Amino acid sequence: MPVAQFPISNCSVGNLKKLATFFQNLLEWRICTSLISGFMAKESVVSTMEILFAGEVTSLLTPLAAATMMVFSLLYTPCVAAIASIRQELGGKWAVCVVLEQCAIAWAAAGIVRLLGMLAALFIGIS
C-alpha cells in the first residue's frame, strides 16, 4: 500500500507518515516509519511494524530480511533520551557524532549480515 493511501487514525501516526514519505524511495515506508518511531523508544520498532503491516510482518519479510532488520534496529542511533544525555554531558557536537557514527555502524553491520546471508544461500543452500 502506498504511503498516500494509508489511513491516518491519530496525529502521531500522521506525523510519522509525513516523515516516512521522505524515505519511501530508500526502503519500504512502513519499515522506515517503524525505525523513526524507534528513535523515541527502541522497543516500539517491532510493535509499530506489526501495526503498519496489519499483522502480516512474518509473511512479508524473509528470514534474511528480518535478520538484517534486527541487526540494523539494534545498532542504529540510540533513543532520544540517550542522545539528550550525551548532549547534556558532552555537548551537541558529540551527540551528532554519536548519531551519525551509530547509523554508519548499523548500515555496515546490516550489510555484512545481508551479504553473509546471500552467500550462505548461494553456496550452502540456506534460505
Side-chain angles (χ1 to χ4, degrees), residues 115-127:
L115 179 65
L116 291 175
M118 291 170 63
L119 289 173
L122 183 64
F123 292 113
I124 304 173
I126 298 173
S127 59

Side-chain angles (χ1 to χ4, degrees), residues 43-124:
E43 59 273 7
S44 70
V45 173
V46 174
S47 60
T48 304
M49 282 181 65
E50 193 66 27
I51 290 167
L52 293 177
F53 280 102
E56 299 290 323
V57 175
T58 56
S59 64
L60 296 173
L61 289 178
T62 65
L64 179 57
T68 304
M69 173 71 183
M70 181 179 67
V71 167
F72 183 81
S73 66
L74 289 172
L75 294 175
Y76 83 116
T77 186
C79 68
V80 72
I83 298 297
S85 296
I86 292 169
R87 183 176 175 261
Q88 184 178 12
E89 296 292 327
L90 302 173
K93 191 182 297 186
W94 277 99
V96 170
C97 286
V98 165
V99 169
L100 295 176
E101 193 173 281
Q102 283 296 116
C103 285
I105 290 169
W107 275 108
I112 290 169
V113 167
R114 177 116 176 120
L115 179 65
L116 291 175
M118 291 170 63
L119 289 173
L122 183 64
F123 292 113
I124 304 173

